Amino acid sequence: MNSYQLSDRLHTVASFVPKGSSIADIGSDHAYLPCYLGHQLQIDKAVAGEVAEGPFQSAKRQVKEDSLEHLIEVRKGSGLEVIEAGEVDVITIAGMGGPLIAQILEEGKDRLPGVKRLILQPNINAISIRDWFSLNGWTITDEAILEEDGKIYEVLVAEPETDRMEMTFQDRLLGPVLSKEKSHVFQKKWKQEYNQWEKILNQIERAGDTSHLKDKKKELLEKMKLVSEVLNWEKR
Ligand code: SAM
């Protein structure tokens, strides 16, 4: 991967950035995503935010090497603190866990007015982000799922909500768009998760009967039922 040739994962994130956007890429690492979008003439401006010194330096180096300093500013800081409210219209956050992405959004809420689109790629627990969307007035407008190097990734696209739309537990766990499309990769992901839950359930059944374990078992059974219904498994 480099700033001309992204991984499929980051390429999918890039594909949701509207032409002419001002973006902030938070946790940018090498700044490959903003640099790629700059080369493609897809963006008018970008802020690449990084909290860690090493990746911050790599991002600065990459932007300089690609002669994109007129378009991309690399800023050091945590989460959305690197931008002012109203400064960008798209925020991308990729390659972190869902809970960390949700935390970045929650802590940076005051920087979100004026943002028209969030493009988020959690490595795990996308449900944390969908929960945050439902609590904070964002609607999922698109989703993608892909497999690369043996790992499955989800990409969530959200825009400020115009009408209040409740997401069901099914929508928040599986994704409102992905669970309608039911792609091959989606089915593979949830078969893997189901198998994992089945193993945990067996361990719980052997471990005893505390109220915590009972709650955990109930939660797992609920998720397993949901997944088998959505994937139309007759019996497993
Ligand atoms: N976004 C790139 C991608 O998807 O390939 C890099 C992903 S890398 C695994 C995660 C990056 O996020 C790291 O460089 C890390 O330093 C940075 N990071 C983690 N927490 C952050 C935060 N709160 N604010 C800004 N950057 C953060």
Side-chain angles (χ1 to χ4, degrees), residues 62-197:
Q62 190 66 48
V63 170
K64 189 158 185 246
E65 205 173 293
D66 288 11
S67 305
L68 288 168
E69 293 108 315
H70 60 291
L71 213 56
I72 304 170
E73 201 180 316
V74 183
R75 298 183 190 163
K76 192 165 173 199
S78 179
L80 305 188
E81 74 177 20
V82 296
I83 51 166
E84 300 293 331
E87 196 184 355
V88 299
D89 41 39
V90 173
I91 293 176
T92 57
I93 313 180
M96 302 179 202
L100 177 56
I101 295 178
Q103 185 189 333
I104 287 175
L105 296 172
E106 181 61 27
E107 288 173 358
K109 262 182 186 174
D110 60 333
R111 314 295 158 102
L112 291 175
V115 173
K116 298 193 188 88
R117 181 175 285 192
L118 299 172
I119 309 168
L120 309 172
Q121 181 269 302
N123 288 343
I124 51 162
N125 286 338
I127 188 170
S128 313
I129 299 177
R130 298 195 189 96
D131 284 345
W132 188 90
F133 288 156
S134 358
L135 292 172
N136 291 281
W138 289 78
T139 305
I140 294 182
T141 53
D142 213 340
E143 291 177 315
I145 189 163
L146 70 140
E147 183 171 12
E148 185 169 49
D149 299 331
K151 292 198 187 116
I152 294 178
Y153 301 103
E154 289 169 73
V155 179
L156 317 185
V157 183
E159 296 183 359
E161 193 168 71
T162 43
D163 295 316
R164 186 89 194 98
M165 261 176 46
E166 283 301 326
M167 268 203 280
T168 60
F169 179 63
Q170 176 181 317
D171 287 340
R172 288 183 288 113
L173 181 68
L174 306 177
V177 178
L178 300 178
S179 60
K180 279 197 190 72
E181 288 174 357
K182 295 189 183 111
S183 70
H184 171 73
V185 181
F186 173 86
Q187 298 191 36
K188 182 170 175 181
K189 175 188 166 72
W190 291 106
K191 265 179 208 145
Q192 286 173 355
E193 295 279 349
Y194 188 101
N195 291 343
Q196 198 56 34
W197 295 335

Side-chain angles (χ1 to χ4, degrees), residues 9-10 26-29 50-52 55 77-79 94-96 100 104 121:
R9 174 181 64 82
L10 279 183
I26 305 300
S28 202
D29 199 352
E50 247 301 331
V51 73
S78 179
M96 302 179 202
L100 177 56
I104 287 175
Q121 181 269 302

